Amino acid sequence: MTTTADRPDTAEVGQSRLRKEDRRLLTGRTRWTDNLELPGMVHLALVRSPVANATITGIDTTEAAAAPGVVGVWTGEDLPEQGAMPIAWTVSDNLKVPSLMPLAVGTVKHVGDVVAVVAATSKDAADDAAGMVDVSYDELLVVMDPIAALEADSPLVHPELGTNVCATWGMDSVALGTGGDVEEAIRAAEADPDQVVIRRTLRQNRITPAFVEPRSIVVDPTAEQVTMWSATQVPHILRILLAMTQPVDEHELRVIAPDVGGGFGGKLQATREEALVLLIALRLQLPVKYTETRMESMQSAHHARDQVQRLTLAARKDGTITAFDVDLVADMGAYLGILTAGIPLLGGFMFNGIYKIPAYRFFCTDVFTNKVMTDAYRGAGKPEATFGIERMMDELAVELGLDPIEVRRRNWINPDEFPYATVAGLTYDSGNYDQATDRALELFDYDGLRAEQARRRESNDPVQLGIGVCTFVELSGLAPSRVLGSLNYGSGGWEHASIRMLPTGKVEVAAGTTPHGQGHATAFAQLVSDELGIPFEDITLISGDTATVPRGMDTYGSRSLVVGGMAIVGAARRVVEKARPLAAHLLEADPNDLEYDRGTFTVRGTDTSKTIPEIALAMWLAHDLPDGMEACLDSESTFDPENFSYPTGTHLAAVEVDTETGKVTLRDYVCVQDVGVLVNPMIVDGQVHGGLTQGIGQAMYEEIRYSEDGQLTSGSLADYLVPHAPDVPRYRTDTTVTHATTNTLGVKAVGETGTTAAPPAIVNGVLDALRPLGVTDITMPTTPLKVWSAIQAARSEKGGAS
Amino acid sequence: MRPVAFDYVAPTTVEEVVQALSDGGEDATVISGGQSLLPVLRMRMADPSLLVDLRRVDSLREIRDDGDNLVIGARATHRQVSTDPLVRQHAGLIAKTAGSIGDPQIRYRGTIGGSLAHADPAGDMGAAVLALNGSLELTGPRGSRTVAGGDFFVDYFTTAREPGEVVTAVRIPKHDGWGSHYEKFTVVVQAWAVVAVAAAVRVEGGQVAEARIGLTNMGTTPLRAAAAEQALVGVAAADTDALRAAAATAGEGTNPPDDPSGTPEYRRHLAGVLAGRAVVKAVEAVA
């Protein structure tokens, strides 16, 4: 039996505990959804559209239906019970919502749209038969470019909506009462010889979350509840959304997310594939499985980013910003996922970055095109915004001939100004941008690298050195329910946890946030160990199952620790409060005379004490409880934050650009972040490393490409290039700590910082290397071809001018 | 996806392989390491009726010294080729190129014969074999024959291999004392070459006496850069600028592919830059 004496005396929080879950995850000895085999299970294959915009003129399923092993073939017409897929964010009154059915009815709107489903006794038989389904299409003109989509003569993705504009949404500092009129400020700047006005149009490339485990679903309709296993980030949300839209009620449906191989926002969705597996399982009353291929994933799982940013920044010649105007066009793709329309507007709260901006405006136009829908991807709107402001800060530095660090320093919020009410209407709780930046500059040897850069410029070295800067803050830890409500978001932002005290002194933590690689089992055990004095090893996590964890809001927006962790701590503290009267009873003392310290109640001034495990056993036995006491120590807690979490930091990239080939090599990357109190520094580092690598991927390698006629030309990982370990440097990371004041742990979010800060740091670095050659912009990804072409263009322009 | 159903045999001799191929007819395909064929099968871009597997034909794994030539069995893996002492001594370019293919897992599976027979112009080995004047041995229903590398590669994914024939070995003339280098340019480490250059040089009296340059992904087949080779002859080995200048024409006259990694113009430029780098490193590598 456990006693608290087994527990080391030092606090668990702050220890780099190896991850409990890694033994099974790293050896692959776990159960992924696709590993599930159930008696009598049938397999699905989906027939996907090879064209981007068409009317379906006929579907002949005769041959497929007669193929060996086939149990059934359905088209959209054959499934009248299917319900339209849900959206969870009605961003504005003018939002237009196109109908997205699990199986397309009548039309297809992008390559990969699903037109038929085949069920067969084996996956092979289903795949074979899917190839026999004969679909006839009457092709229509496609809309691929979001800017062209806005032109009056553009074809329409959804003619019944009468426009390609999905929604518009705006905010400005006058209406918010946070600042001046942006147009007025820009006009004044233009008339003022002591100010500059910088206008740039920046592009956010379309990328995909590229999780390692493709999406996979199994539905078993043969028990009291219909059970769905899905490789999802959001089992609780999925259950509600499916119950609201498909022919199953919430109490009849159980959703389980077993171990999930990465999500990054890509599995924050209620997918048509999930709905289809459910629908066919209900039809057949048999267990059904569907696992997508990577190519299906690329043409069906939601993409991300894909924005055009028209930015206007006004500043005094000393570098202080006087106004910032953001006009955004965001590509939704053909349909709306649960958060699609709202992702860009999350950026609206972040385009001001860490700076004091006296006048601000944000206006976003969401546009339909014949592409896969966009939706959340690690950062969700904030990386886009950070890219916009941080690229503009470098443009300002160049315009004024200032060092990029200096121009930022002249604008950022000072340590003594927190809490700081921003021009975008948020309140940043804490931070110290000077401290993080100074530490980063020191680690990086900023001055030494600037000297090397000067030498290389001087000697006309074919390999030029660039220094990329990004100082950022991020809105994370979704989220205060009231704020979400004010944005017409379709759910609250609370999180729930319960603690189950077992009679042997062990603990089960049931948490509403669901891990897909983050290390919840480890970090949460550290939190509970410190609260209850139970050894780390004696605490286990239960999650990802609506039956065993009935309440939860799941995992996205870096919320697991700052929201979910607080719910766990709250539940643990309730255990202590429930234990106190029993401890007093057993110790024959007044409850008010008990002192509690990490798992032990001691009668003040004595050495008589009871530990939490002793009390748990006594409670379970219930032989000697005070009159009227319920025989249960288990406790629950729901936490709803009052504010978001604002992790910050300074990223510095040293990039070498081979001007002969255009190849960009990341030589060094330093990042010093303030993510508040660290629960497990190793896990924090892992989050940073992974996020950086994905951010570097967006900046340098990754791009979803479509041809003019709507074909996906980057449909496999041979064409969609993600970085591997040899492509990135050995990151050098450090942290500074200012306590978050929005939770009692003092923790801030960390999961999305890398993808937020790395893209502008890299692109600023590439441009810093090449500005002397006349290069002023390169769109992401900065592939060798694009960099070389930009150098050639700048040289010929220079040559032409001289 | 799973491949379409097919039959499968794994004979133990070349004669049985040839017999199986001719029995299988047009839809029979040889599988060696499977590194190119399996993805194509799984994407159902090919649906052969029969796979004839070379894995049990032990004689095809052999690498032997044949006087003036080195004979590398078609079934030798890239890993084997890149580490084999004979190959490293007599045909260093082949060993270096084999070591640059894919990643360790691919190199333990993929084979030299499979890679050459697949004839992907972005594949690495063709340029090196061409540069060293290598040839391929083929065996078919009408016996065995030897085809020079330059005649073997016919077009995009197309070789001089007749139906029913199997590549059994690669013959490489010994290049003792030559320096060599394979300069491969990729966007990410684990990707096909945008362009790569295989270079081998012989230095005599401080000057380049002979130079061989093979190009990867610069056309529908691997290519030789004959003009650059000639321009290099007589250049002082210590004069890196002159070596680079002489090699800079390597891309001229080629018609490389146009894709998101490179336009033809960019690839021609890259070929010249990379050829210069390859030649300089090859000169440095001269024993």
Side-chain angles (χ1 to χ4, degrees), chain A residues 639-670:
Chain A
F639 180 75
D640 200 341
E642 288 179 0
N643 195 351
F644 295 98
S645 177
Y646 302 101
T648 81
T650 297
H651 289 223
L652 298 172
V655 303
E656 290 183 353
V657 183
D658 182 340
T659 59
E660 291 180 338
T661 64
K663 182 146 185 153
V664 176
T665 304
L666 203 44
R667 184 167 104 186
D668 193 13
Y669 199 100
V670 163

Short mmCIF file of all heavy atoms in Angstrom, two decimals, chain A residues 639-670:
data_model
loop_
_atom_site.label_atom_id
_atom_site.label_comp_id
_atom_site.label_asym_id
_atom_site.label_seq_id
_atom_site.Cartn_x
_atom_site.Cartn_y
_atom_site.Cartn_z
N PHE A 639 -13.55 24.28 -14.30
CA PHE A 639 -12.85 25.57 -14.27
C PHE A 639 -13.16 26.36 -15.52
O PHE A 639 -13.10 25.84 -16.63
CB PHE A 639 -11.34 25.33 -14.17
CG PHE A 639 -10.53 26.61 -14.14
CD1 PHE A 639 -10.48 27.39 -13.01
CD2 PHE A 639 -9.83 27.04 -15.27
CE1 PHE A 639 -9.75 28.58 -12.97
CE2 PHE A 639 -9.08 28.22 -15.25
CZ PHE A 639 -9.06 28.99 -14.09
N ASP A 640 -13.51 27.59 -15.32
CA ASP A 640 -13.76 28.48 -16.45
C ASP A 640 -12.89 29.71 -16.25
O ASP A 640 -13.10 30.47 -15.30
CB ASP A 640 -15.25 28.86 -16.50
CG ASP A 640 -15.66 29.37 -17.87
OD1 ASP A 640 -14.78 29.77 -18.67
OD2 ASP A 640 -16.88 29.37 -18.14
N PRO A 641 -11.90 29.91 -17.10
CA PRO A 641 -10.98 31.03 -16.85
C PRO A 641 -11.66 32.37 -17.09
O PRO A 641 -12.67 32.44 -17.79
CB PRO A 641 -9.87 30.80 -17.87
CG PRO A 641 -10.53 30.04 -18.98
CD PRO A 641 -11.59 29.18 -18.33
N GLU A 642 -11.09 33.39 -16.49
CA GLU A 642 -11.64 34.73 -16.72
C GLU A 642 -10.93 35.44 -17.86
O GLU A 642 -11.38 36.46 -18.35
CB GLU A 642 -11.53 35.56 -15.44
CG GLU A 642 -12.52 35.08 -14.40
CD GLU A 642 -12.41 35.86 -13.11
OE1 GLU A 642 -11.57 36.78 -13.03
OE2 GLU A 642 -13.17 35.53 -12.18
N ASN A 643 -9.80 34.88 -18.27
CA ASN A 643 -9.04 35.53 -19.33
C ASN A 643 -8.30 34.44 -20.09
O ASN A 643 -8.21 33.29 -19.66
CB ASN A 643 -8.03 36.53 -18.72
CG ASN A 643 -7.47 37.51 -19.74
OD1 ASN A 643 -7.69 37.37 -20.95
ND2 ASN A 643 -6.75 38.50 -19.26
N PHE A 644 -7.79 34.81 -21.25
CA PHE A 644 -6.96 33.89 -22.01
C PHE A 644 -5.58 33.81 -21.36
O PHE A 644 -5.30 34.47 -20.37
CB PHE A 644 -6.79 34.40 -23.46
CG PHE A 644 -8.06 34.43 -24.25
CD1 PHE A 644 -8.79 35.59 -24.40
CD2 PHE A 644 -8.54 33.27 -24.86
CE1 PHE A 644 -9.97 35.63 -25.12
CE2 PHE A 644 -9.71 33.30 -25.60
CZ PHE A 644 -10.43 34.48 -25.73
N SER A 645 -4.73 32.99 -21.97
CA SER A 645 -3.35 32.87 -21.52
C SER A 645 -2.48 33.53 -22.58
O SER A 645 -2.76 33.41 -23.78
CB SER A 645 -2.99 31.39 -21.37
OG SER A 645 -1.64 31.26 -21.02
N TYR A 646 -1.42 34.22 -22.13
CA TYR A 646 -0.61 35.00 -23.08
C TYR A 646 0.88 34.65 -23.01
O TYR A 646 1.68 35.42 -22.48
CB TYR A 646 -0.81 36.50 -22.81
CG TYR A 646 -2.26 36.92 -22.93
CD1 TYR A 646 -3.04 37.12 -21.80
CD2 TYR A 646 -2.84 37.09 -24.19
CE1 TYR A 646 -4.38 37.49 -21.90
CE2 TYR A 646 -4.17 37.47 -24.30
CZ TYR A 646 -4.93 37.67 -23.16
OH TYR A 646 -6.25 38.03 -23.27
N PRO A 647 1.25 33.50 -23.55
CA PRO A 647 2.67 33.17 -23.61
C PRO A 647 3.37 34.13 -24.56
O PRO A 647 2.78 34.60 -25.54
CB PRO A 647 2.68 31.74 -24.15
CG PRO A 647 1.39 31.59 -24.89
CD PRO A 647 0.41 32.48 -24.18
N THR A 648 4.61 34.42 -24.29
CA THR A 648 5.36 35.35 -25.12
C THR A 648 6.79 34.85 -25.29
O THR A 648 7.19 33.88 -24.65
CB THR A 648 5.45 36.76 -24.49
OG1 THR A 648 6.49 36.74 -23.50
CG2 THR A 648 4.16 37.17 -23.85
N GLY A 649 7.54 35.54 -26.10
CA GLY A 649 8.94 35.18 -26.22
C GLY A 649 9.61 35.89 -27.38
O GLY A 649 8.99 36.62 -28.14
N THR A 650 10.90 35.62 -27.48
CA THR A 650 11.72 36.20 -28.54
C THR A 650 12.43 35.08 -29.28
O THR A 650 13.09 34.25 -28.66
CB THR A 650 12.74 37.19 -27.95
OG1 THR A 650 12.01 38.25 -27.34
CG2 THR A 650 13.65 37.73 -29.04
N HIS A 651 12.22 35.06 -30.58
CA HIS A 651 12.86 34.03 -31.42
C HIS A 651 13.87 34.71 -32.35
O HIS A 651 13.57 35.74 -32.95
CB HIS A 651 11.82 33.31 -32.27
CG HIS A 651 10.92 32.40 -31.48
ND1 HIS A 651 10.57 31.14 -31.92
CD2 HIS A 651 10.32 32.56 -30.29
CE1 HIS A 651 9.78 30.57 -31.02
NE2 HIS A 651 9.60 31.42 -30.03
N LEU A 652 15.03 34.10 -32.46
CA LEU A 652 16.07 34.64 -33.34
C LEU A 652 16.58 33.51 -34.23
O LEU A 652 16.95 32.45 -33.73
CB LEU A 652 17.24 35.20 -32.50
CG LEU A 652 16.88 36.37 -31.58
CD1 LEU A 652 18.06 36.70 -30.67
CD2 LEU A 652 16.47 37.59 -32.39
N ALA A 653 16.59 33.77 -35.52
CA ALA A 653 17.03 32.75 -36.47
C ALA A 653 18.25 33.27 -37.23
O ALA A 653 18.24 34.40 -37.71
CB ALA A 653 15.91 32.42 -37.45
N ALA A 654 19.27 32.42 -37.33
CA ALA A 654 20.41 32.74 -38.19
C ALA A 654 20.28 31.87 -39.44
O ALA A 654 20.34 30.65 -39.35
CB ALA A 654 21.72 32.45 -37.48
N VAL A 655 20.06 32.51 -40.58
CA VAL A 655 19.88 31.75 -41.81
C VAL A 655 21.01 32.07 -42.79
O VAL A 655 21.42 33.22 -42.92
CB VAL A 655 18.52 32.03 -42.49
CG1 VAL A 655 17.38 31.72 -41.55
CG2 VAL A 655 18.41 33.46 -42.96
N GLU A 656 21.48 31.03 -43.42
CA GLU A 656 22.46 31.21 -44.49
C GLU A 656 21.73 31.03 -45.81
O GLU A 656 21.00 30.05 -46.00
CB GLU A 656 23.59 30.20 -44.36
CG GLU A 656 24.47 30.47 -43.16
CD GLU A 656 25.66 29.52 -43.06
OE1 GLU A 656 25.72 28.56 -43.85
OE2 GLU A 656 26.50 29.74 -42.18
N VAL A 657 21.91 31.96 -46.70
CA VAL A 657 21.29 31.87 -48.01
C VAL A 657 22.39 31.72 -49.05
O VAL A 657 23.25 32.60 -49.21
CB VAL A 657 20.43 33.11 -48.32
CG1 VAL A 657 19.74 32.94 -49.68
CG2 VAL A 657 19.40 33.33 -47.24
N ASP A 658 22.36 30.59 -49.73
CA ASP A 658 23.31 30.34 -50.81
C ASP A 658 22.78 31.06 -52.05
O ASP A 658 21.80 30.63 -52.67
CB ASP A 658 23.40 28.83 -51.04
CG ASP A 658 24.41 28.47 -52.12
OD1 ASP A 658 24.75 29.35 -52.94
OD2 ASP A 658 24.84 27.31 -52.15
N THR A 659 23.40 32.18 -52.38
CA THR A 659 22.84 33.01 -53.46
C THR A 659 23.04 32.35 -54.83
O THR A 659 22.40 32.74 -55.81
CB THR A 659 23.47 34.41 -53.48
OG1 THR A 659 24.89 34.27 -53.64
CG2 THR A 659 23.17 35.15 -52.19
N GLU A 660 23.91 31.36 -54.90
CA GLU A 660 24.10 30.66 -56.18
C GLU A 660 22.99 29.66 -56.47
O GLU A 660 22.65 29.41 -57.62
CB GLU A 660 25.45 29.94 -56.19
CG GLU A 660 26.63 30.90 -56.23
CD GLU A 660 27.97 30.18 -56.23
OE1 GLU A 660 28.04 29.01 -55.79
OE2 GLU A 660 28.95 30.78 -56.66
N THR A 661 22.45 29.07 -55.40
CA THR A 661 21.41 28.05 -55.60
C THR A 661 20.06 28.46 -55.04
O THR A 661 19.04 27.83 -55.34
CB THR A 661 21.80 26.74 -54.90
OG1 THR A 661 21.86 26.97 -53.49
CG2 THR A 661 23.15 26.22 -55.38
N GLY A 662 20.04 29.48 -54.19
CA GLY A 662 18.79 29.88 -53.53
C GLY A 662 18.47 29.08 -52.29
O GLY A 662 17.45 29.30 -51.65
N LYS A 663 19.35 28.17 -51.94
CA LYS A 663 19.04 27.32 -50.78
C LYS A 663 19.21 28.08 -49.46
O LYS A 663 20.22 28.75 -49.24
CB LYS A 663 19.95 26.10 -50.78
CG LYS A 663 19.65 25.14 -49.63
CD LYS A 663 19.86 23.70 -50.02
CE LYS A 663 19.42 22.78 -48.90
NZ LYS A 663 19.01 21.48 -49.41
N VAL A 664 18.20 27.94 -48.61
CA VAL A 664 18.23 28.56 -47.28
C VAL A 664 18.59 27.48 -46.27
O VAL A 664 17.94 26.43 -46.23
CB VAL A 664 16.87 29.16 -46.92
CG1 VAL A 664 16.88 29.71 -45.50
CG2 VAL A 664 16.49 30.26 -47.92
N THR A 665 19.61 27.72 -45.49
CA THR A 665 19.98 26.77 -44.44
C THR A 665 19.84 27.46 -43.09
O THR A 665 20.37 28.55 -42.90
CB THR A 665 21.44 26.29 -44.62
OG1 THR A 665 21.56 25.75 -45.93
CG2 THR A 665 21.79 25.23 -43.60
N LEU A 666 19.11 26.82 -42.22
CA LEU A 666 18.91 27.37 -40.89
C LEU A 666 20.11 26.97 -40.05
O LEU A 666 20.29 25.81 -39.72
CB LEU A 666 17.62 26.79 -40.33
CG LEU A 666 16.88 27.51 -39.23
CD1 LEU A 666 16.79 28.99 -39.50
CD2 LEU A 666 15.50 26.91 -39.11
N ARG A 667 20.96 27.95 -39.75
CA ARG A 667 22.19 27.61 -39.06
C ARG A 667 22.00 27.55 -37.55
O ARG A 667 22.58 26.72 -36.87
CB ARG A 667 23.25 28.67 -39.39
CG ARG A 667 24.59 28.35 -38.80
CD ARG A 667 25.66 29.23 -39.40
NE ARG A 667 26.06 30.28 -38.48
CZ ARG A 667 26.90 31.25 -38.82
NH1 ARG A 667 27.40 31.32 -40.05
NH2 ARG A 667 27.24 32.17 -37.94
N ASP A 668 21.19 28.44 -37.04
CA ASP A 668 21.01 28.47 -35.59
C ASP A 668 19.61 29.02 -35.31
O ASP A 668 19.10 29.84 -36.08
CB ASP A 668 22.07 29.38 -34.95
CG ASP A 668 22.14 29.21 -33.43
OD1 ASP A 668 21.54 28.23 -32.90
OD2 ASP A 668 22.79 30.04 -32.77
N TYR A 669 19.03 28.54 -34.23
CA TYR A 669 17.72 29.06 -33.85
C TYR A 669 17.66 29.15 -32.33
O TYR A 669 17.83 28.15 -31.64
CB TYR A 669 16.60 28.14 -34.37
CG TYR A 669 15.26 28.83 -34.40
CD1 TYR A 669 14.75 29.34 -35.59
CD2 TYR A 669 14.51 29.00 -33.23
CE1 TYR A 669 13.52 29.99 -35.62
CE2 TYR A 669 13.30 29.66 -33.27
CZ TYR A 669 12.81 30.15 -34.47
OH TYR A 669 11.60 30.81 -34.51
N VAL A 670 17.47 30.35 -31.85
CA VAL A 670 17.40 30.57 -30.40
C VAL A 670 16.01 31.05 -30.06
O VAL A 670 15.46 31.92 -30.74
CB VAL A 670 18.45 31.61 -29.95
CG1 VAL A 670 18.11 32.14 -28.56
CG2 VAL A 670 19.84 31.02 -29.97
#
